């Protein structure tokens, strides 16, 4: 799966890593629903850090279509809320 982190570029994520990312995504959604800014910020950074950790960075000139687009680390809670689909940021 090809994932774009806005402002950073693309990474390729193995399907075996999606369960952990889905768990982090669920925690992020819960923080948004609760309106908890501190937990939201912590969970967003944890999700992005995990994507960077497990993902293989693609070259900047790669033209692969992104299957998912994730917000930048400095995104607001409202910006992320607008990006959430029925299954969160990372469909499971």
């Amino acid at each position: 799966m090809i994932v774009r982190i806005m402002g950073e570029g693309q990474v390729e994520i193995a399907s075996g890593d999606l369960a952990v990312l889905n768990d982090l995504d669920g925690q992020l959604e819960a923080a948004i629903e609760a309106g908890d800014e501190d937990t939201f910020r912590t969970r967003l950074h944890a999700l992005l850090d995990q994507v960077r950790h497990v993902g293989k960075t693609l070259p900047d000139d790669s033209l692969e279509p992104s299957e998912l687009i994730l917000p930048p680390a400095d995104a607001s809670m409202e910006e992320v809320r607008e990006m959430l689909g029925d299954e969160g940021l990372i469909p499971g």
Side-chain angles (χ1 to χ4, degrees):
M1 170 178 289
I2 306 298
V3 177
R4 173 173 298 284
I5 300 175
M6 294 171 64
E8 293 185 33
Q10 292 180 304
V11 295
E12 185 172 4
I13 305 291
S15 59
D17 292 314
L18 290 178
V20 171
L21 297 177
N22 277 320
D23 182 53
L24 291 168
D25 185 35
Q27 294 174 31
L28 177 65
E29 278 189 88
I32 291 171
E33 289 172 13
D36 184 338
E37 180 72 35
D38 291 336
T39 302
F40 160 76
R41 187 70 40 213
T42 300
R43 300 296 184 240
L44 177 58
H45 284 258
L47 174 63
L48 295 176
D49 287 347
Q50 186 67 21
V51 167
R52 292 181 197 109
H53 177 71
V54 301
K56 175 185 160 219
T57 303
L58 297 179
D60 289 338
D61 61 353
S62 173
L63 298 175
E64 297 291 325
S66 298
E67 296 170 70
L68 294 175
I69 299 176
L70 298 178
D74 63 351
S76 71
M77 193 181 312
E78 188 56 40
E79 289 170 325
V80 176
R81 184 186 329 252
E82 290 175 9
M83 293 179 74
L84 290 174
D86 292 339
E87 297 183 32
L89 292 172
I90 301 175

